[in-house]
Amino acid sequence: QVQLVQSGGGLVQAGDSLTLSCARVSGRALSTYVMAWFRQGPGEDRDFVAAISENADRTYYTDSVKGRFTISRDNAKDTVSLQMTGLKADDTAVYYCAAARVQYGLSTFSNHYGYWGQGTQVTVSA
């Protein structure tokens, strides 16, 4: 098991940049998990954003954020980050970090991720 805590988020204007962070509070080291970011807009499902392998040698992004968002991790610090640039109003959502067992690979399915951060609101004004 692992407990995750998120930081970052807030209200920004379209075109701005923002970085979200996710840190291990307790439990197993993050280096033993695939890590990902999901987001959930009002009245919408929780959608995959990006994932990174346990040793950071592979990443995967949903098409809508490719070239704008970067997922990274620092296993020595037990942290994962999501750097977001060129933010758009459509990026407005609650963002969640999540951890999955490595057997699932860079899964885009939320039910493969057993551990979640508390969520953080990102609001992009047009």
Side-chain angles (χ1 to χ4, degrees), residues 44-61:
E44 298 180 358
D45 295 332
R46 190 170 296 187
D47 294 329
F48 171 82
V49 176
I52 187 167
S53 61
E54 63 276 20
N55 58 7
D57 63 340
R58 291 173 294 130
T59 58
Y60 185 72
Y61 299 89

Side-chain angles (χ1 to χ4, degrees), residues 21-83:
S21 296
C22 175
R24 180 185 70 89
V25 176
S26 63
R28 295 179 62 180
L30 292 189
S31 61
T32 62
Y33 296 99
V34 168
M35 299 298 297
W37 290 91
F38 286 76
R39 64 187 179 185
Q40 188 168 19
E44 298 180 358
D45 295 332
R46 190 170 296 187
D47 294 329
F48 171 82
V49 176
I52 187 167
S53 61
E54 63 276 20
N55 58 7
D57 63 340
R58 291 173 294 130
T59 58
Y60 185 72
Y61 299 89
T62 192
D63 286 346
S64 63
V65 307
K66 284 180 180 176
R68 298 190 299 122
F69 291 11
T70 302
I71 187 171
S72 61
R73 66 190 301 161
D74 185 337
N75 285 341
K77 296 182 178 179
D78 270 329
T79 59
V80 178
S81 297
L82 184 69
Q83 295 175 288

Side-chain angles (χ1 to χ4, degrees), residues 40 43 64 85-86 94 118:
Q40 188 168 19
S64 63
T85 63
V94 177
Q118 81 276 19

